[in-house]
Amino acid sequence: MTQPLMPMATAVWLVDNTVLTFTQIADFCELHELEVQGIADGTVGMHIVGQDPTSSGQLTQEELDRCQADPSASLVLSVDDVKAVPRTKGPRYTPVSKRQDKPDAIAWLVRNHPELTDLQISRLVGTTKPTIQSIRERSHWNISNIRPQDPVGLGLCRQIELDAAVQLAAERRDKAAAKSGAVTEEPVVEAAPEVIAEVAVEEPVVEQKEPTAEDVFGKSEEEPKEA
């Protein structure tokens, strides 16, 4: 996947100087549509100077005119004039002017997405684990002045990156909850056949009668008959 040079600055220029749709600009600059909408609303990239892609040879005026006339068309990067630069997996560079916003972004992520790990927050914002931990524990030296703010709005990360991190963290949390909530059933121990037979067979109940006078004193002799 490739992207134009300075994608955010290019998006700022396209928003300000063309009638391209948010989708067209987002696809060309490899940004989320919400980021492009934030640029148009003035909540994202407020201090970024727009970069004209036609002056650097990344786009031709004919290509811009074609896509402005057809909202369903996609801008095509002029690879022959300028080599597209692939995104790298190295450390995220944060401009000096935005580094002071990192604690605010960390506080926002900790408050609104507690499922995110320190490693995920570190990758999103470009900070260190000790800094994240100090904000979690409210032991940061400047904790009284930290005001939680969306890192996307601060320009520290992209909306698509935040969404992917939150989705991954949610999946991990659900798997952990399912694993810890699983109940192990006790095995059923069957009794030996002879025990079952012993329990199943009942001795017959013998009905006892009350003893009679004859049983106690015996039978009396018969009286002689009269002649």
Side-chain angles (χ1 to χ4, degrees):
M1 187 176 290
T2 59
Q3 67 180 85
L5 297 171
M6 303 179 67
M8 184 63 74
T10 300
V12 170
W13 188 90
L14 292 174
V15 168
D16 293 339
N17 296 276
T18 70
V19 293
L20 293 170
T21 65
F22 293 162
T23 302
Q24 288 175 307
I25 298 175
D27 290 344
F28 178 68
C29 298
E30 294 185 10
L31 300 174
H32 196 281
E33 284 189 43
L34 293 179
E35 289 182 276
V36 180
Q37 182 176 350
I39 293 173
D41 294 339
T43 59
V44 176
M46 294 177 290
H47 304 292
I48 296 178
V49 178
Q51 176 67 34
D52 183 359
T54 61
S55 63
S56 58
Q58 299 179 85
L59 279 178
T60 62
Q61 188 60 48
E62 290 75 12
E63 182 67 10
L64 278 177
D65 295 339
R66 180 182 71 85
C67 292
Q68 289 184 95
D70 182 8
S72 63
S74 299
L75 289 167
V76 178
L77 191 68
S78 299
V79 182
D80 293 337
D81 295 331
V82 56
K83 296 294 182 181
V85 179
R87 288 192 181 273
T88 63
K89 295 184 178 180
R92 179 185 297 276
Y93 172 75
T94 305
V96 177
S97 60
K98 292 185 178 296
R99 291 178 187 175
Q100 61 185 2
D101 297 331
K102 288 184 178 182
D104 295 343
I106 296 171
W108 189 91
L109 291 171
V110 169
R111 184 186 67 181
N112 294 279
H113 297 289
E115 68 276 13
L116 291 175
T117 64
D118 289 355
L119 180 59
Q120 288 179 303
I121 296 176
S122 177
R123 289 176 176 175
L124 284 171
V125 180
T127 185
T128 62
K129 289 185 178 181
T131 301
I132 299 171
Q133 194 63 29
S134 66
I135 293 176
R136 284 187 186 276
E137 298 173 353
R138 300 191 63 80
S139 59
H140 191 273
W141 66 273
N142 196 32
I143 191 65
S144 60
N145 295 319
I146 292 177
R147 300 292 181 267
Q149 296 188 59
D150 188 348
V152 176
L154 293 173
L156 294 174
C157 70
R158 299 164 58 192
Q159 185 66 47
I160 192 171
E161 294 171 335
L162 176 58
D163 293 343
V166 170
Q167 182 178 358
L168 179 60
E171 291 175 356
R172 289 176 177 173
R173 178 192 58 191
D174 294 342
K175 288 181 180 179
K179 184 177 180 180
S180 62
V183 179
T184 304
E185 297 183 356
E186 297 183 358
V188 179
V189 180
E190 296 183 358
E194 56 271 16
V195 177
I196 297 176
E198 183 178 350
V199 174
V201 177
E202 297 182 355
E203 296 183 358
V205 178
V206 179
E207 185 179 355
Q208 296 182 356
K209 298 181 180 181
E210 295 183 0
T212 62
E214 291 181 355
D215 295 333
V216 176
F217 300 104
K219 294 183 178 180
S220 60
E221 297 182 357
E222 294 182 355
E223 296 178 358
K225 299 181 180 180
E226 293 181 355

